[in-house]
Amino acid sequence: MSKLVYNFSAGPSVLPKQATKEAADAIIDFANTGIGILEMSHRTKPIESMVADTDSMLRALMGIPENYDIVFLGGGASLQFCMVPMNLLDQNASADYTDTGVWASKALKEAKQFGTVNVVCSSKAETYNHIPKQFNQTPGATYLHVTSNNTIYGTQWKQFPKANTYLVADMSSDILSRQVNVSDFGLIYAGAQKNMSCAGVTVAIIRKDVLGKVSRTIPTMLNYATHIPEKSMFNTPPVFAIYVMNRTLSWLKQNGGVPEMEKTNNKKSDLLYNVLDNSKLFTGTAAKEDRSTMNIPFVFKKDAVAAEKVEGFEKEFLAFTKEQGLDQLKGHRSVGGFRASIYNAMPIEGVEALVKTMAAFEKKILG
Ligand SMILES: Cc1ncc(COP(=O)(O)O)c(C=O)c1O
């Protein structure tokens, strides 16, 4: 048995123990075939039915309607930054993008290569510490792009804007963490390595009618229309990552599905935010109304720790948490301090252990 460590990494991140155990067993023998999953052709019945099963579980868990296709792709969410406009945005057309973080700005930078990009709002000047809510959409824009949860800054759209046409969302860091109405979106994409699986697979959920509207030639592998009829088997898909997703979705289903995850995620994040709101040492960095239930960045309060002591105390806090079995709490360099990523698979006991450790450190430093 390995020692108990709570892993607060932003991604790749904690997965359900049950899912990783099942995936580990499948490396040796997949579905009682006597062949390990890493050694098995994707053109075999067991793999084909596993991929189909993953599709139907995701469909059921998210309530994905029949007029949407699901594809499992490689290339990470970053490849979707270019695949989305390449497939949806015609040369002479425009798309609206909301600039709510580094990933959002990377998405809009890619889109500029394919059409006109209107940046309809940005919180960049305030280090992306909030989600701008007042903005005008551009008449005739093909779609409105949002980053559902901003992993680095810990902000999250609590209510999605109503798009004049349709929404496209990067849900990499909060897919399956809360209920969303898929019908509000023309396309949803997510790198799986936070809430769904290990690195290697990206999910795209595509409403059928958004495709086929651009005049450019799309390279075969970058064309959604290549992968949809082939059920993600046009070429060799990332089979193992899809299997880890399969097992994670099964765990999710057994544990009450998305509604139950949402309840627990609210409980976990409330617990940590409550501590941050009342601490003499720590404070959160995101605007209250936009605070994420998935990624919680926090820093030392300016009046609690003198500027020249911050770096030393940060190191001390990270070492202190590690001693208690709490790992990967270092903040992203653009925000500093600390970040607790508390995805679906982080049990509430992990957050309880973290707030206890924060209180003990506060006592140690401030008395
Ligand atoms: C919101 C968001 N979008 C996109 C990405 C990039 O994902 P990938 O590394 O799969 O390209 C990340 C990675 O952390 C992310 O958090």
Side-chain angles (χ1 to χ4, degrees):
M1 231 0 229
S2 56
K3 65 175 179 172
L4 178 65
V5 170
Y6 291 114
N7 171 15
F8 292 91
S9 168
S13 37
V14 60
L15 287 167
K17 278 272 175 289
Q18 177 184 317
T20 51
K21 169 81 175 60
E22 287 167 341
D25 290 346
I27 289 177
I28 306 301
D29 181 359
F30 179 61
N32 294 318
T33 57
I35 301 176
I37 191 165
L38 304 179
E39 304 161 276
M40 189 174 278
S41 163
H42 57 297
R43 311 255 177 233
T44 53
K45 267 265 155 332
I47 299 294
E48 276 175 4
S49 64
M50 182 278 287
V51 175
D53 180 49
T54 311
D55 178 301
S56 53
M57 267 197 285
L58 185 62
R59 205 173 272 282
L61 285 164
M62 286 184 71
I64 300 172
E66 282 299 304
N67 59 327
Y68 286 74
D69 290 302
I70 302 172
V71 283
F72 303 108
L73 304 169
S78 299
L79 186 61
Q80 297 308 302
F81 295 164
C82 84
M83 268 180 83
V84 164
M86 195 184 277
N87 282 265
L88 306 185
L89 179 59
D90 215 354
Q91 230 100 307
N92 299 319
S94 79
D96 286 351
Y97 274 73
T98 53
D99 179 23
T100 56
V102 160
W103 298 114
S105 80
K106 287 190 178 185
L108 71 90
K109 185 173 165 227
E110 286 300 303
K112 282 179 182 170
Q113 300 183 65
F114 302 97
T116 303
V117 167
N118 316 302
V119 182
V120 291
C121 63
S122 176
S123 49
K124 187 174 181 183
E126 296 83 28
T127 328
Y128 296 119
N129 67 358
H130 69 287
I131 305 260
K133 284 151 216 91
Q134 299 299 326
F135 58 87
N136 295 318
Q137 292 177 52
T138 313
T142 305
Y143 59 82
L144 171 64
H145 183 279
V146 292
T147 308
S148 166
N149 182 75
N150 298 283
T151 324
I152 295 173
Y153 310 92
T155 63
Q156 187 174 35
W157 289 90
K158 296 297 164 185
Q159 217 167 3
F160 291 106
K162 214 170 162 32
N164 288 345
T165 48
Y166 60 86
L167 278 173
V168 171
D170 174 0
M171 289 195 187
S172 294
S173 53
D174 68 350
I175 193 164
L176 296 164
S177 72
R178 57 173 170 164
Q179 296 177 84
V180 294
N181 184 13
V182 173
S183 300
D184 292 341
F185 301 85
L187 195 150
I188 294 169
Y189 62 93
Q193 67 273 19
K194 298 169 200 301
N195 240 351
M196 284 193 290
S197 183
C198 56
V201 63
T202 302
V203 167
I205 302 162
I206 309 156
R207 205 174 69 202
K208 291 180 191 291
D209 65 285
V210 302
L211 297 182
K213 305 252 164 78
V214 296
S215 47
R216 72 174 59 83
T217 305
I218 304 171
T220 309
M221 275 299 286
L222 301 179
N223 196 337
Y224 293 121
T226 302
H227 301 283
I228 292 169
E230 297 292 333
K231 301 188 184 316
S232 306
M233 296 274 188
F234 172 75
N235 70 323
T236 317
V239 170
F240 184 65
I242 298 173
Y243 186 59
V244 176
M245 186 187 303
N246 182 292
R247 294 298 78 209
T248 303
L249 296 180
S250 170
W251 169 85
L252 216 144
K253 199 167 127 188
Q254 285 164 31
N255 285 279
V258 178
E260 212 43 52
M261 291 296 133
E262 181 168 355
K263 253 192 248 164
T264 311
N265 288 329
N266 285 336
K267 240 191 247 171
K268 290 185 300 188
S269 54
D270 282 352
L271 179 61
L272 185 44
Y273 284 127
N274 194 33
V275 165
L276 291 172
D277 289 344
N278 294 296
S279 167
K280 290 192 177 68
L281 181 62
F282 299 103
T283 183
T285 57
K288 268 193 184 172
E289 70 275 17
D290 303 323
R291 294 199 293 204
S292 166
T293 56
M294 298 279 95
N295 311 97
I296 305 186
F298 55 100
V299 293
F300 290 134
K301 279 186 157 169
K302 281 202 165 60
D303 57 2
V305 178
E308 69 276 11
K309 292 201 166 155
V310 167
E311 205 184 319
F313 277 148
E314 279 182 358
K315 280 196 184 128
E316 197 175 325
F317 177 65
L318 290 173
F320 189 71
T321 53
K322 207 158 180 171
E323 274 167 30
Q324 313 300 316
L326 313 174
D327 208 347
Q328 304 296 315
L329 281 160
K330 190 168 168 40
H332 189 274
R333 61 193 175 282
S334 59
V335 180
F338 317 103
R339 173 174 50 170
S341 295
I342 52 172
Y343 298 115
N344 285 350
M346 171 61 68
I348 192 147
E349 290 78 11
V351 183
E352 285 166 353
L354 173 60
V355 296
K356 211 169 130 200
T357 304
M358 288 164 73
F361 190 76
E362 182 169 326
K363 193 144 186 246
K364 187 172 155 196
I365 298 299
L366 301 180

